[in-house]
Amino acid sequence: MKRKSIVVLISGNGSNLQAIIDAVKCGEINADISLVVSNKADAYGLDRAANAGIRTLVISYQTFKKQGKLRIEYELEMARKIKDVVDPDIMVLAGFMLILSENFIQQFKNIINLHPALPGQFDGTHAIERAFTAFTNGEIKSTGVMVHRVIPEVDRGPVILKQTVDILPTDTIESLEERIHAIEHQLIVKAINKELNE
Ligand code: GRF
């Protein structure tokens, strides 16, 4: 039976991409990463992919904007270029920082997103910092990480897996981020397997 294919979209460091690469390499994920796509040419995750011998694609939204092109043209071009390589069984947004509309989402079987907060708690950017501020203000005692199916509404959609992360009185923003990222690296692998083996 043909091995299933994964496409990963990134915008930066790619530590979650690295967790997926490592899981494929050791057989924890029984599928192949066919392509890594970044909207930023300087994303370190591209180096991680190249080091693992994985094909990469950079489609810069800034370049599209400078050319006066529309967001929808960017999304359709990205979808076309991905499909020229593979139509993935699953697409993983691992630190991908652009919002994708229905024009893109509807073209793929399954797109999942990793977000460092619990459903509906801190949607959008800087979720960990916002959770830490809420903790400092005595509003919350814990935060979390989730992986969900992507719909047009940012960081919403059916939750695949989630995990609560307690915030400790001794925590700094750095120690909390470190603990959350460690949990992300485990949760993203579990969520991919859950989706692929559904
Ligand atoms: C992660 O916290 C992810 O949940 C968020 O951005 C960060 C990306 O980290 N969307 P990395 O690029 O995977 O290291």
Side-chain angles (χ1 to χ4, degrees):
M1 188 173 84
K2 187 174 169 301
R3 267 167 76 89
K4 292 191 174 176
S5 67
I6 306 169
V7 169
V8 184
L9 271 54
I10 62 168
S11 297
N13 177 28
S15 68
N16 286 284
L17 166 65
Q18 190 64 59
I20 302 167
I21 290 171
D22 296 346
V24 168
K25 199 179 292 179
C26 74
E28 193 180 350
I29 291 179
N30 184 25
D32 292 316
I33 302 172
S34 309
L35 182 66
V36 170
V37 184
S38 176
N39 63 304
K40 300 260 187 177
D42 62 351
Y44 182 63
L46 291 166
D47 295 341
R48 295 178 190 269
N51 293 339
I54 298 168
R55 187 165 173 172
T56 60
L57 187 59
V58 175
I59 310 174
S60 163
Y61 179 52
Q62 296 311 319
T63 306
F64 261 71
K65 272 203 306 192
K66 282 185 191 132
Q67 292 166 353
K69 290 183 180 175
L70 302 175
R71 182 64 168 246
I72 184 170
E73 291 175 283
Y74 175 77
E75 289 194 5
L76 295 179
E77 169 95 353
M78 185 161 58
R80 186 181 61 74
K81 285 188 171 178
I82 291 168
K83 286 189 169 184
D84 282 351
V85 175
V86 66
D87 190 1
D89 295 284
I90 189 167
M91 181 179 286
V92 183
L93 308 186
F96 186 67
M97 302 312 274
L98 289 183
I99 295 169
L100 295 168
S101 76
E102 190 58 26
N103 300 306
F104 182 89
I105 296 166
Q106 71 189 3
Q107 298 195 45
F108 296 95
K109 296 184 195 81
N110 187 3
I111 307 176
I112 70 173
N113 178 51
L114 172 68
H115 184 64
L118 291 175
Q121 268 216 346
F122 297 103
D123 294 345
T125 56
H126 307 299
I128 304 174
E129 294 87 336
R130 288 154 55 203
F132 190 68
T133 301
F135 168 76
T136 309
N137 297 338
E139 294 157 13
I140 60 173
K141 293 190 182 319
S142 62
T143 182
V145 179
M146 69 166 163
V147 183
H148 64 93
R149 292 220 176 125
V150 171
I151 61 172
E153 199 181 356
V154 176
D155 294 330
R156 291 295 171 104
V159 177
I160 300 163
L161 289 175
K162 63 182 178 180
Q163 183 171 329
T164 299
V165 179
D166 289 336
I167 307 176
L168 310 174
T170 52
D171 263 329
T172 60
I173 181 66
E174 291 76 17
S175 62
L176 177 62
E177 277 181 343
E178 192 177 336
R179 193 155 68 251
I180 283 180
H181 288 327
I183 289 166
E184 284 184 318
H185 301 159
Q186 296 166 355
L187 209 68
I188 193 62
V189 170
K190 284 179 188 159
I192 289 169
N193 275 329
K194 189 165 186 274
E195 289 296 281
L196 287 179
N197 302 320
E198 194 174 52

